[in-house]
């Protein structure tokens, strides 16, 4: 059970740190951290979480990553469903704690978007479904390539969390205006449950697109491995 609990805690940290920075600090009067700060927060949660918990569970913290690692031959199928359940529950618990915190602000009027993901009217920049589909697939695919490459036994040892954390930071810097950046179905699910928008109606998309991207990224990296072994 240790590895499942590690995934719960790691995903809790990702959602609480990343989405918490967006909800509490991104537009704080005069001291807002903005897109760059939120992007760094997401990257830092993965970096620190991977160093702290990666040796226990592998440090997935993301259902799409777990699926991609399974497709890439780095993860056992029997653990796939328990990992995803632990990740989703960890994310939801983080969003719940964040929901309790925001209600304590003087003049609280509601959660609003609550750092949710979306396309069309729910996109920060009002980008279309096609734009959202392309960016979520492409960025999740690249994310899996980085993860598989950085954790390859031929890669320099000990640096994988840094590469993965910086990759997630870059992903957010690129795509926050388009979808508010998912690449992680657990993160999308967690905050959608507490938002006051129609985010739940688009939640299916933020499961389908990242998982498609993860599978594509894993298959691309497997091609590299096969060619190197020849």
């Amino acid at each position: 059970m240790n590895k499942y609990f590690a995934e719960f805690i790691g995903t809790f940290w990702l959602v609480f740190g990343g989405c918490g920075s967006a909800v509490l600090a991104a537009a704080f009067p005069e001291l807002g951290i903005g897109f760059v700060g939120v992007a760094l927060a997401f990257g830092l949660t993965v970096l620190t979480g991977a160093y702290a918990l990666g040796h226990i569970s592998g440090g997935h913290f993301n259902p799409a990553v777990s699926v991609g690692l399974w497709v890439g031959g780095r993860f056992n199928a029997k653990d796939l469903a328990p990992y995803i359940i632990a990740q989703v529950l960890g994310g939801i618990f983080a969003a719940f704690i964040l929901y309790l915190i925001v209600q304590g602000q003087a003049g609280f009027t509601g959660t609003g978007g609550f750092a949710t993901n979306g396309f069309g009217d729910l996109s920060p920049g009002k980008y279309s479904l096609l734009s959202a589909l392309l960016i979520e697939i492409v960025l999740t695919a690249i994310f899996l390539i980085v993860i598989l490459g950085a954790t390859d036994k031929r890669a320099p040892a000990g640096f994988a969390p840094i590469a993965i954390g910086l990759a997630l930071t870059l992903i957010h810097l690129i795509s926050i205006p388009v979808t508010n950046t998912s690449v992680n179905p657990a993160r999308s699910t967690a905050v959608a449950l507490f938002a006051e928008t129609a985010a739940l109606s688009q939640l299916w998309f933020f499961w389908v697109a990242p998982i498609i991207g993860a599978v594509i990224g894993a298959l691309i990296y497997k091609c590299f491995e096969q060619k190197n072994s020849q």
Side-chain angles (χ1 to χ4, degrees):
M1 293 297 295
N2 280 351
K3 57 188 177 183
Y4 305 141
F5 189 53
E7 285 297 303
F8 177 95
I9 295 296
T11 313
F12 173 92
W13 181 226
L14 185 149
V15 173
F16 190 79
C19 295
S21 71
V23 171
L24 301 173
F28 190 79
E30 300 180 8
L31 296 174
I33 61 175
F35 284 177
V36 174
V38 172
L40 282 170
F42 272 100
L44 289 171
T45 60
V46 169
L47 189 157
T48 55
Y51 272 124
L53 302 168
H55 60 286
I56 300 172
S57 68
H60 300 188
F61 316 146
N62 181 338
V65 169
S66 295
V67 171
L69 292 175
W70 169 63
V71 172
R74 303 276 191 89
F75 188 56
N76 198 317
K78 70 180 179 63
D79 285 325
L80 190 57
Y83 263 54
I84 291 173
I85 292 170
Q87 291 156 359
V88 171
L89 291 177
I92 291 172
F93 186 54
F96 174 67
I97 297 297
L98 188 58
Y99 173 72
L100 296 179
I101 291 169
V102 298
Q103 292 185 76
Q105 184 180 28
F108 173 75
T109 57
T111 56
F114 207 57
T116 49
N117 304 116
F119 56 84
D121 289 339
L122 299 184
S123 159
K126 308 303 179 188
Y127 284 84
S128 69
L129 185 149
L130 178 59
S131 295
L133 182 68
L134 289 172
I135 204 160
E136 288 288 332
I137 288 177
V138 169
L139 291 179
T140 313
I142 296 298
F143 194 37
L144 260 293
I145 292 171
V146 171
I147 292 170
L148 289 165
T151 56
D152 194 297
K153 60 184 179 182
R154 297 164 294 181
F159 293 98
I162 297 173
I164 295 166
L166 289 175
L168 190 61
T169 298
L170 178 57
I171 285 168
H172 279 78
L173 289 173
I174 295 168
S175 61
I176 286 177
V178 183
T179 61
N180 212 22
T181 310
S182 174
V183 304
N184 185 336
R187 168 260 190 271
S188 299
T189 301
V191 289
L193 295 175
F194 298 93
E196 294 177 339
T197 66
L200 278 174
S201 68
Q202 295 186 356
L203 183 57
W204 63 271
F205 177 90
F206 295 102
W207 277 85
V208 173
I211 288 175
I212 291 173
V215 170
I216 291 171
L219 292 175
I220 290 172
Y221 196 80
K222 284 187 76 172
C223 291
F224 294 151
E225 290 182 320
Q226 289 170 358
K227 289 181 179 180
N228 285 334
S229 65
Q230 292 176 354

